[in-house]
Amino acid sequence: MSRRDELAANLGAVRARIDAACADAVRDAAEVRLTVVTKFFPASDVRLLAELGVTDVGENRHQEAEAKAAECADLGLRWHFIGGLQSNKAVAVARYADVVESVDRTKLVAGLGRGAGESDRDVDVLLQVSLDPPGAEHRSGAEADALHDLADAVEATDRLSLRGLMAVAPLGGDPAAAFAQLAETHRELLARHPGATWLSAGMSGDLEQAIAAGATHVRVGSAVLGTRPEFK
Ligand SMILES: *Cc1c(COP(=O)(O)O)cnc(C)c1O
């Protein structure tokens, strides 16, 4: 099987899972957008995915993302930055990312605004919220009570648009319970920021639970591209 055929088959299976999950949740499948997470995979795969109709790709490491976005600049894709972001990289990320999904502290906001302004672009922002139980070793994401200040900081910054929330289910936990909590946090944010309608949740292993809880964007890597190469 060629790589193209393999990606086409995997993509078809993921799209069928999304459609089935939407049907189960009595939601219109057009409400849920697929971002294919291409981290660790080469630009040649991104090119094949674009040919297969993928419009949105996600990356989690700045250097890899920057290089791939440059190599694939002719494809008209929307690049989502979904990884932990160092504040000294925020300016650079905003020069190529169309959506930054992992904004979890106010310190990042000015840099993103500056990068967007300097490169004359508009950048969509999602606030990453932690779904880890209190006291758990912190992976990433803001605590829910920090979201209002963070949202206000994004809204006050030129060239940044607050679009909603992003989260990752806790390792080993029940994703349905975590996503129900996320949906509640999203409703609270929407009460103050009615434009923040996006909810990015769900990956290869838990996209059904995320769609049941109202996800508008799912981020799927391994179910499309295969097992990631070993971390070097
Ligand atoms: C890698 C990654 C994904 C995709 O994970 P898969 O399990 O491979 O689908 C989604 N979201 C984030 C934030 C990631 O880092």
Side-chain angles (χ1 to χ4, degrees):
M1 213 203 275
S2 71
R3 181 63 169 156
R4 189 181 204 281
D5 291 345
E6 184 184 354
L7 292 176
N10 291 346
L11 205 49
V14 166
R15 288 194 173 123
R17 282 175 63 191
I18 293 171
D19 287 350
C22 287
D24 284 347
V26 200
R27 297 184 56 194
D28 182 346
E31 286 174 23
V32 179
R33 299 187 52 165
L34 170 64
T35 299
V36 178
V37 179
T38 49
K39 65 192 187 196
F40 293 95
F41 287 95
S44 55
D45 281 349
V46 177
R47 206 160 274 283
L48 291 172
L49 290 167
E51 287 172 23
L52 294 167
V54 169
T55 54
D56 291 73
V57 292
E59 289 284 336
N60 72 336
R61 296 185 305 174
H62 164 59
Q63 281 186 336
E64 179 183 349
E66 183 180 49
K68 248 183 258 180
E71 231 180 304
C72 298
D74 57 312
L75 300 177
L77 292 165
R78 291 167 56 78
W79 291 82
H80 295 240
F81 191 83
I82 62 172
L85 189 50
Q86 292 169 263
S87 42
N88 63 353
K89 300 284 164 55
V91 175
V93 166
R95 292 200 175 106
Y96 61 83
D98 299 290
V99 187
V100 179
E101 301 202 7
S102 43
V103 175
D104 62 358
R105 54 199 194 283
T106 46
K107 215 179 157 192
L108 299 171
V109 175
L112 290 172
R114 187 149 64 83
E118 283 172 4
S119 47
D120 197 18
R121 321 173 58 245
D122 294 305
V123 175
D124 290 328
V125 169
L126 301 183
L127 309 181
Q128 183 174 357
V129 59
S130 170
L131 299 178
D132 294 324
E137 192 195 325
H138 209 69
R139 286 204 293 163
S140 47
E143 295 300 330
D145 59 14
L147 291 178
H148 290 311
D149 287 347
L150 203 45
D152 288 342
V154 173
E155 300 256 47
T157 305
D158 279 350
R159 310 309 298 255
L160 302 185
S161 299
L162 179 69
R163 297 293 184 200
L165 294 182
M166 183 273 255
V168 178
L171 277 174
D174 169 16
F179 292 144
Q181 178 195 327
L182 173 65
E184 178 57 32
T185 302
H186 190 215
R187 279 190 288 276
E188 289 165 11
L189 182 75
L190 277 169
R192 284 178 51 161
H193 301 275
T197 55
W198 299 8
L199 188 58
S200 173
M203 322 199 300
S204 294
D206 55 20
L207 68 88
E208 285 84 2
Q209 290 91 337
I211 288 171
T216 61
H217 293 66
V218 294
R219 309 175 307 271
V220 179
S222 49
V224 173
L225 288 138
T227 309
R228 279 182 283 278
E230 284 293 306
F231 205 106
K232 279 165 275 186

